Amino acid sequence: MKYSIDEVSRAVSSASRRRLLEHVARGPATMSALADHLDLSLPAVDKHLKVLGSAGLVTKTKTGRVTQITLDPRGLDAMATWVERTRAHWAGAMQRYTDHLEDR
């Protein structure tokens, strides 16, 4: 699966979805447990999980009537790589600007 930084950004732009990710980062959770923990309805949890799943951040495994949600951090790895490259670029640009000002 190719991880789209745009989809990951959209997925983590919601506080509810970030809280869902934080919860499943501690270990797999059922949809009911997520709904109870975050005080959301099951349809709201399902809606958020679809966005997170489309971004490649979580996986769902259904056994009978129970759906387990597991974190898939590979989408976050793609985002972290982009953030680090961007941070390095701007840190370098700011250092060059500072050096330029000091040379004056």
Side-chain angles (χ1 to χ4, degrees), residues 6-89:
D6 291 340
E7 284 189 52
V8 173
S9 295
R10 179 175 163 258
V12 300
S13 69
S14 161
S16 294
R17 289 191 288 269
R18 287 191 306 272
R19 289 184 10 229
L20 283 167
L21 284 174
E22 289 168 3
H23 192 76
V24 297
R26 291 182 227 127
T30 64
M31 289 184 61
S32 296
L34 290 170
D36 290 344
H37 178 75
L38 300 170
D39 197 27
L40 294 171
S41 67
L42 282 173
V45 169
D46 189 51
K47 178 181 163 187
H48 287 306
L49 290 174
K50 284 179 182 171
V51 174
L52 293 169
S54 292
L57 298 174
V58 296
T59 57
K60 288 181 177 181
T61 306
K62 191 165 185 171
T63 306
R65 295 178 57 191
V66 178
T67 302
Q68 287 275 358
I69 312 304
T70 307
L71 177 69
D72 184 351
R74 292 177 290 180
L76 293 174
D77 291 343
M79 176 64 80
T81 299
W82 178 84
V83 167
E84 183 54 32
R85 273 196 321 255
T86 303
R87 188 206 61 75
H89 167 77

